[in-house]
Amino acid sequence: MSYAVEKQLAEVAKTIKKILSVAELPAIEIANSKFDADFALPCFTLARDLHKKPQEIAEQIVVGLNHPVIAKAEAKAGFVNLWLSDSALGSALGEIVTKPTYGAQKLLDKQKILIEVYSTNPFKDLHIGHAYNSIVGDTLANIFKLGGADLHRVSYGGDVGLHVGKSMWAILRYLEGDISKLDVVKSGDRPAFLSRMYVEGAGQYEEDSIIRQQIDVLARQSFVQDDAFFKQVYEICRQWSFDYIHKMIKKMGSQLAEREYWENEADKLGRQIVETHIGDVFERSEGAIVFKGETYGLHTRVFITSHDTTLYEARDLGLMQLKEQEYNPDKSYYLTAEEQRDYFKVVLKAAQLSLPELKDKSVNISTGTVKLSTGKMSSRTGKVVNIEGLFKELSEALKARGAEEDNLQAGIVGALRYAMLKVRIGGDIIFDINESISLEGNSGPYLQYAHARGRSILAKLADSSSTEKSSSSSSHPRLDWESSKKKSSLLTGSPIGVGDDETGEKTFVDFTADEHKLAIKVLEYPTITAKAISELAPHHICNYLYELTQQFNRFYEHNRIIGDPRQNQRAELVNSYCQVLENGLGVLGIPAPERL
RNA sequence: GCGCCCGUAGCUCAGCGGAUUAGAGUACUUGGCUUCGAACCAAGGGGUCGCAAGUUCGAAUCUUGCCGGGCGCACCA
């Protein structure tokens, strides 16, 4: 995707190359915000090639540069500082309204990408770490999509193994052979019930060696499932879990996976892969089947235990194979916590050797650990925070601050997602519930508020213009003031808009300093999306949107929109701003309600 | 012990394919609502960018070595 500003700058770069008669030019950067300029060209690398001082080169460019896109150029400290002309700015802004997907890129065009958006274990509780992982997964999926990828969301559920044995042991004990006892558990209580059962089984496993043996038997049963009663109970409870997981995923503002893989189905395939490669990839050791990673600078891991059950390692191989068969993707992304980083390297190496057709399609992105700051929440519960408890806390805090009931959910999602997405993926994240629900400063609600504020101005304008005129209410109220004007050249949008051709009325004739600043910030969006896509870094979008809304709030503070002689132009500008903000929030999975 | 990740303002973090005068939020101090939403804006104090060398005209950013913290290293997921 090539946006107007990009094209304009490319033209300027061409001109500068001519002035210096060089073939290559460093990138024209967005100027540091502490300087007044829009863009800057550093001349330091040029200095080496041309054997001149950077400042001399900068001055040479300034003297020679005469381009309609550039209103002003200045040489300072080895940089050429550049200001965009009003006409260039105006035509670039027009794109935002005409392209609803403004910000989308083609960096990943035609790539088929698979991403595991959540990997949860049924039977166990969902805690804040699951929330973080799934929110990051969902947002990365949005970013891949923004990059033009053929994106597929999948998930993986651990429905076999020891943890299932632990849960099932406690559940079966509770039932005492009578499955109708499950009916007593009301649907709202099911997650808590399952969570209690798991905790009970896990506790007994540690304490009692006889129970441990019973649990081991049940764990094996989760694979084979040849006991009818076990199977019946297992399937009901697993369904309860998945219903709950789906509910929570949606509540966090994330999308469900289009294909949900279960360990159950990856198990057989995984075992088969391991067993057919004993000798060339895997080897027997102390009764288990292992992969010796030391040969490759990694460590040894067990794939099939000495009790002849598969481990996560083997099942992951099966999963990779399954994904390959069903999707044949170009890239397949796995999101894991950092403690799984080295684990994943081993599995990937084993996969590379035993399944060469996978090549290096699988990529692991590791996130840090979610830690709670020592707030009242962690001290009260004393342990990991259950995800529903988190929702409750967020909801109460928002209500206490006077949030409208209708938009409570939007606020919760905004606060939670933004708090988790605004920092770089990879490091540990210190989650402070009080800070995350704070409506002030660099927060989700700040952005949502700033959006609602802008929309409310536009709505007000739409109202006044529709009451003045015979009210033929448009389906797009926020563009109503447009109807009172002639079709603006902004909306037709000359492609490159260098302003040579001054035919027709321009919505943006000139810009005040404040308008110019806001406009430049709005137009920075595609540069940011490109960065977020290539680095897989949602936090760039967060930071940008925060700077954008800050810029808007400053503008709003000092400039009147309704009733000002420049009303129409400013409304257009606010509209562009709202559009970009809404687009950006959309990528983050944060709703942008018209009112809060 | 080996490997990976991380040390930037009191706290939470951006900035890291070097480049104009290290930035935000929060907390603290202060000013601004008869005008489009004050969940806002403006101003102030607060930093040996963990330490030390090296590369460079120039390093928070690259290299090396230390120090400090987290995680992983055989049958949990």
Side-chain angles (χ1 to χ4, degrees), chain A residues 494-522:
Chain A
S494 58
I496 191 128
V498 260
D500 305 323
D501 183 14
E502 286 294 344
T503 53
E505 184 195 27
K506 291 248 182 208
T507 304
F508 294 103
V509 180
D510 59 355
F511 288 80
T512 65
D514 284 357
E515 289 165 4
H516 183 103
K517 266 189 170 163
L518 180 56
I520 279 287
K521 201 70 200 172
V522 168

Side-chain angles (χ1 to χ4, degrees), chain A residues 442-508:
Chain A
N442 193 356
S443 68
Y446 175 99
L447 301 189
Q448 290 174 312
Y449 180 78
H451 173 264
R453 208 184 202 187
R455 288 290 187 216
S456 123
I457 295 169
L458 300 181
K460 209 155 273 181
L461 273 170
D463 277 355
S464 61
S465 72
S466 64
T467 45
E468 278 164 25
K469 300 165 64 67
S470 55
S471 54
S472 57
S473 55
S474 150
S475 59
H476 262 290
R478 64 171 192 261
L479 285 176
D480 263 3
W481 73 87
E482 265 301 315
S483 62
S484 62
K485 299 189 304 179
K486 277 189 285 180
K487 190 177 64 173
S488 72
S489 69
L490 183 151
L491 290 174
T492 55
S494 58
I496 191 128
V498 260
D500 305 323
D501 183 14
E502 286 294 344
T503 53
E505 184 195 27
K506 291 248 182 208
T507 304
F508 294 103

Side-chain angles (χ1 to χ4, degrees), chain A residues 11-112:
Chain A
E11 289 223 336
V12 173
K14 213 194 283 175
T15 311
I16 294 176
K17 280 184 204 166
K18 229 175 267 172
I19 294 169
L20 300 174
S21 50
V22 293
E24 291 303 320
L25 201 70
I28 298 176
E29 304 165 350
I30 292 161
N32 192 316
S33 59
K34 64 191 166 198
F35 303 105
D36 177 49
D38 297 339
F39 302 97
L41 175 71
C43 302
F44 303 96
T45 50
L46 286 168
R48 198 169 31 219
D49 301 341
L50 300 174
H51 307 288
K52 276 188 194 168
K53 286 185 180 158
Q55 179 64 13
E56 279 175 28
I57 296 171
E59 279 161 15
Q60 186 188 345
I61 292 169
V62 168
V63 170
L65 187 62
N66 180 20
H67 197 284
V69 162
I70 298 301
K72 182 180 153 195
E74 143 194 300
K76 200 182 151 202
F79 284 83
V80 179
N81 288 329
L82 298 165
W83 284 259
L84 220 54
S85 69
D86 289 346
S87 62
L89 211 51
S91 68
L93 275 174
E95 265 190 338
I96 297 170
V97 189
T98 52
K99 290 184 187 165
T101 58
Y102 189 72
Q105 302 284 357
K106 283 185 176 164
L107 295 164
L108 305 171
D109 210 17
K110 295 194 178 76
Q111 274 198 49
K112 187 185 254 187

